[in-house]
Amino acid sequence: MTAIDFASFVDQLASASGETILPFFRTALAVENKKAGGFDPVTAADRAAENAMRALIRKNFPDHGIVGEEYGSERTGAEYVWVLDPIDGTKSFISGMTAWGTLIGLMRFGEPVFGMMHQPFIGERFSGDGGAAHYRGRTGNRDLHARKCAALSDAVLFTTSPLLMNKTDRATFERVENKVKLSRYGGDCYAYCMLAAGQIDLVVETEIKPHDIVPLIPIITGAGGVVTTWENGPPQAGGRIVVAGDKRVHAAALEMLKG
């Protein structure tokens, strides 16, 4: 069984999570903080959506593993492991902004083989299997292709927020930021999908968890992009991440991120 055999099931997971989340969006929703000394919000929408997806996975693939942001890990040694982030961009979600989405990833033998980002309010789905990537939304369906960009000086850079970085990483990030044509903040998972869609050129982040990046890897690489750690290592464990649509920009950013 290949990753593509799971595509219709991923659509089921996306629909179930979206139907669970939307009644909560732009309502007077209670917010809990998961992070002592900081702010890492979680809501009933996050938990309900992850529960809905976990229930479907357990019913249809009881031998599969699951890694989720809200409810942890189970059977991580299985051949197939699902990686779930019910609302990536919860801070945007609780603010009524639309830069959030549900991330659904599938790993086989520890390698990301399929991923989807679903934004149910806007009605967009970005998916990929590492070999190709696709968009489905109100404007129709199309293949995704990262755009060419020869130099950092021509690049559009996104990061969720430099304030999420420690002092040293922020200074390193600023060296890259000072070289690009334009830098913008915000976006969470949407920034990565816009890179795959050829709208931006570079994403640089820190403090990334596996559930933040694993579902996006097959979309990015399927669109022709490059995703690694700052050390040019495999990105599926998270950490400090750099993503580029063009290998030349990726190489130039890596050189500056070495410190």
Side-chain angles (χ1 to χ4, degrees), residues 171-239:
T172 303
F173 167 80
E174 286 174 357
R175 289 204 298 270
V176 179
E177 184 177 31
N178 289 336
K179 291 291 185 180
V180 301
K181 178 172 67 177
L182 173 67
S183 66
R184 303 293 294 170
Y185 303 157
D188 291 283
C189 58
Y190 244 107
Y192 297 84
C193 291
M194 290 300 97
L195 185 143
Q199 298 295 310
I200 69 173
D201 306 292
L202 186 64
V203 180
V204 178
E205 305 261 44
T206 65
E207 308 295 331
I208 294 298
K209 304 295 190 296
H211 55 256
D212 297 318
I213 193 64
V214 165
L216 294 165
I217 294 170
I219 303 172
I220 296 160
T221 57
V226 186
V227 50
T228 68
T229 65
W230 287 18
E231 297 77 27
N232 202 27
Q236 51 262 44

Side-chain angles (χ1 to χ4, degrees), residues 158-165 170 173 184-186 204-206:
F158 261 72
T159 193
T160 299
S161 173
L163 296 178
L164 297 174
M165 302 177 183
R170 193 182 310 168
F173 167 80
R184 303 293 294 170
Y185 303 157
V204 178
E205 305 261 44
T206 65

Side-chain angles (χ1 to χ4, degrees), residues 76-155:
T76 55
E79 177 181 355
Y80 288 101
V81 177
W82 296 89
V83 182
L84 309 173
D85 190 345
I87 302 178
D88 183 84
T90 302
K91 293 174 183 175
S92 289
F93 181 84
I94 64 174
S95 303
M97 306 298 285
T98 56
W100 57 272
T102 297
L103 294 179
I104 304 166
L106 179 64
M107 293 196 297
R108 187 183 187 197
F109 297 125
E111 295 295 324
V113 294
F114 197 87
M116 176 177 284
M117 193 283 271
H118 178 217
Q119 217 299 352
F121 185 77
I122 297 175
E124 293 186 323
R125 297 186 184 195
F126 300 79
S127 61
D129 63 4
H134 311 283
Y135 168 86
R136 284 174 285 162
R138 295 177 181 175
T139 59
N141 303 342
R142 66 178 184 273
D143 294 339
L144 295 174
H145 299 286
R147 70 186 180 189
K148 300 297 182 184
C149 183
L152 274 178
S153 58
D154 294 323

